[in-house]
Amino acid sequence: MGLANAFLVAGANSVGSTLWKIPDEATAELMVRFYRNLSSGTDLGSALRQAQLSFLEEPRWRDPYYWAGFKITGNRRNPLQAAVTKNEP
């Protein structure tokens, strides 16, 4: 939690990180799914969980090595929803 905690102390609302080195291709695919979930209004934790669960459905990404190391630390609130709310009249 060291580096994530440093970002939180510095003012970040939340931090996405990994517990181990994950191949770039798997990370890119997981992030596409994660941000797709965020854009539908899901909170951070649920968006990550849904993306991780979707990896279980594909033989190529099924091994937990590719998805289980990702975590969200801090506030689960969706920052995309907060931005939309601020811009509404």
Side-chain angles (χ1 to χ4, degrees), residues 67-83:
W67 54 266
F70 290 91
K71 66 177 190 155
I72 301 290
T73 306
N75 190 332
R76 289 175 47 129
R77 185 174 41 91
N78 184 332
L80 300 179
Q81 291 301 106

Side-chain angles (χ1 to χ4, degrees), residues 33-69:
R33 296 174 191 203
F34 172 68
Y35 279 100
R36 187 177 301 134
N37 294 333
L38 279 182
S39 70
S40 71
T42 307
D43 67 78
L44 290 172
S46 297
L48 179 59
R49 181 178 183 274
Q50 290 170 4
Q52 290 170 319
L53 288 174
S54 74
F55 266 38
L56 290 174
E57 299 171 7
E58 297 182 36
R60 179 179 185 188
W61 305 121
R62 187 173 294 148
D63 190 314
Y65 167 74
Y66 295 112
W67 54 266

Side-chain angles (χ1 to χ4, degrees), residues 5-22:
N5 193 42
F7 280 103
L8 295 171
V9 169
N13 289 320
S14 56
V15 177
S17 59
T18 62
L19 299 171
W20 57 81
K21 185 177 172 73
I22 299 173

